[in-house]
Amino acid sequence: MTSARRIAAGGAIATAAAAALTLTAKAGGRWAVGRTEARLCTTAQLPPYMASERARALHAELWVADLHADSLLWGRDLLQRGSHGHVDVPRLLEGNVALQVLAASTKSPRHLNLDRNDDRSDDVVLLAIALGWPPATWRRLLPRALYMASRADRFAARSDGRLRIIRTAADLAAYDADRGARPDITAGLLAIEGAHALDGDPANVDIVADAGFRMMGPAHFFDNAFAGSAHGVEKGGLTDLGREMVERMEGRSMLVDVAHASSATVDDVLAMARRPVIASHTGLRGVVDSVRNLTDAQARAIAETGGVLGIGFWPTVCGGTGAGDIARAIAHAIRVAGIEHVALGSDFDGAVPVPFDATGLILLTDALIEAGLDDDAIRKVMGGNVHRLLAETLPPGDQTNGAISSAALAAPSVSTGR
Ligand SMILES: [Zn+2]
């Protein structure tokens, strides 16, 4: 071997060693993130789930939709059935879920609490590094959101048609037609949890809309440039930038989601909204009196916009740890906001304890029967209302093409770290 060849071979070995190290680090990172997910995203009752004959018959014919899950965050391959967490394609199919909203949660403070958080710390950057996400996602939040959208698109592309990402009313209509013939398919819809993902610029609404995001909350766990959070320090309302953002979102057919918003932000959004407003994962103060939950007046105002309330599955919104507690919280929301305006907002994979994973939604159908709802009411709550809302509010069609390419641009070179 000539010395030049020897150097080349040495270089190749060094490159291979570096690649092996990177792979090992990534596997280690995924393992550590998986342990964190398993510790935070608990399930009170593990599958399999037993339901009544009547619930089984009814659940099988429902169009089930859930308005909030954080499954894109944890690094799991959502095409594989996970041994922890709550949502992946196999479990959505087994649970007869027609549509799962997949949220991009781009920044989460350390020592998260319901009452008071500032924006100085950021746990999501630790996940991004541990999972080997592109370096742009370590520094800024918009690339983080776009990278999560690209993960969803990659899952869909590799799913043999089992997973679709719905972006337009035309996508929804085509999906419905296909699902009639082929029940082994499910769908996702992209959302953003907290407008800090816009990196301070309301014009970035166009970028997230192009990437296919169809709902966004003004704030998550801390106050940001656009709005106050229910869990922030100031807990103020919409800022001028926030008002511009809401206008731009409505102009791009994105739903404004007031989950996590401060009471002042909820009121400000409702005062200016011209299109339906949603609370994707929430509770009512009549069930649990907390800053996180909506007053009866706010719930009714959301209904008046034509929007829906996704009732959450964890104790501080539904008041308990079982399917019966969720059903009672739903029954209360129906009394306050009306049967057309109540939906599911599990917060699966959202670092809160829930009674069951996505395969256990049949337990909720059963509990709603127990709570005295008739079949038509159950059909609406379990997903019918979300279907109506999306059919009415999604952009009509042909806005998907630019979407995938801009998401891909944000993450040009990543083939691992799904
Ligand atoms: Zn949340």
Side-chain angles (χ1 to χ4, degrees), residues 209-393:
D210 285 345
F213 288 104
R214 292 294 176 260
M215 36 181 93
M216 179 164 67
H220 193 198
F221 266 93
F222 51 89
D223 305 327
N224 63 41
F226 303 96
S229 159
H231 328 285
V233 175
E234 304 284 340
K235 302 181 175 58
L238 285 175
T239 64
D240 288 346
L241 284 179
R243 290 175 199 283
E244 184 185 341
M245 173 193 72
V246 168
E247 275 174 16
R248 284 175 179 268
M249 284 178 68
E250 291 196 328
R252 290 301 307 266
S253 303
M254 288 180 73
L255 291 166
V256 181
D257 174 7
V258 297
H260 291 288
S262 69
S263 227
T265 298
V266 176
D267 292 342
D268 286 351
V269 168
L270 287 167
M272 73 175 290
R274 290 154 184 261
R275 291 169 49 86
V277 171
I278 62 161
S280 65
H281 54 307
T282 193
L284 292 185
R285 294 198 190 176
V287 176
V288 179
D289 191 7
S290 132
V291 289
R292 171 71 172 82
N293 297 338
L294 298 170
T295 65
D296 286 1
Q298 289 169 335
R300 277 193 284 267
I302 288 171
E304 275 163 26
T305 68
V308 297
L309 312 163
I311 300 301
F313 291 7
W314 69 101
T316 54
V317 291
C318 73
T321 57
D325 297 296
I326 305 167
R328 280 186 289 278
I330 285 172
H332 177 80
I334 292 170
R335 283 192 292 275
V336 172
I339 182 61
E340 309 290 332
H341 303 286
V342 180
L344 311 184
S346 67
D347 209 2
F348 281 147
D349 295 325
V352 289
V354 293
F356 44 75
D357 70 14
T359 67
L361 284 158
I362 193 168
L363 296 185
L364 184 53
T365 298
D366 218 350
L368 291 170
I369 293 171
E370 283 285 305
L373 272 69
D374 64 26
D375 288 5
D376 192 46
I378 293 172
R379 207 167 277 125
K380 288 177 175 170
V381 167
M382 290 295 289
N385 289 335
V386 170
H387 189 281
R388 179 203 71 230
L389 177 69
L390 293 178
E392 288 170 2
T393 60

